Amino acid sequence: MSAQPDHTPAAPYAPAPGAPAELLAQLRADRRAERWVPAFEQEWAAALEESRRTFSLTTLYEVVHVWQARLLSAPAVDAFTASGRDETGFVDMAELRGRRRP
């Protein structure tokens, strides 16, 4: 028998202690800094408050992971946007909203 409950979620990967500061520096150097820096700071402040309230670092880790992923995927998004591909007709959201389930 295991001493660990079977319903305990796996602990999230913990970023390096300096990851938030490094991430903020990268965001400030990005061409989207005007929008991204305030958004990151707002999410980080909310995560800090949540962390203080719950005594958990999970929300802070999640903010770092999400913003790291955004930075990593930004070049691919830029390349797709610059390619001129028009995907607006790929999924008709109005049609999806209008459908009723049987």
Side-chain angles (χ1 to χ4, degrees):
M1 204 166 221
S2 172
Q4 292 288 336
D6 60 354
H7 63 277
T8 302
Y13 162 75
E22 182 180 316
L23 181 58
L24 186 55
Q26 291 173 341
L27 290 171
R28 286 182 175 144
D30 193 273
R31 68 178 181 82
R32 301 165 192 85
E34 187 176 309
R35 291 175 314 196
W36 280 14
V37 170
F40 171 78
E41 289 173 340
Q42 183 178 7
E43 288 181 29
W44 184 253
L48 276 174
E49 187 56 39
E50 176 76 10
S51 178
R52 287 183 188 113
R53 190 177 59 74
T54 63
F55 298 100
S56 171
L57 298 175
T58 302
T59 307
L60 293 169
Y61 294 168
E62 288 172 353
V63 169
V64 170
H65 291 163
V66 166
W67 281 96
Q68 286 173 333
R70 284 182 181 146
L71 273 174
L72 286 173
S73 64
V77 171
D78 290 342
F80 179 80
T81 303
S83 73
R85 295 183 184 150
D86 181 12
E87 298 292 329
T88 55
F90 187 75
V91 175
D92 185 355
M93 295 306 291
E95 181 182 336
L96 289 175
R97 283 187 217 103
R99 284 191 187 161
R100 302 267 188 238
R101 289 189 175 182

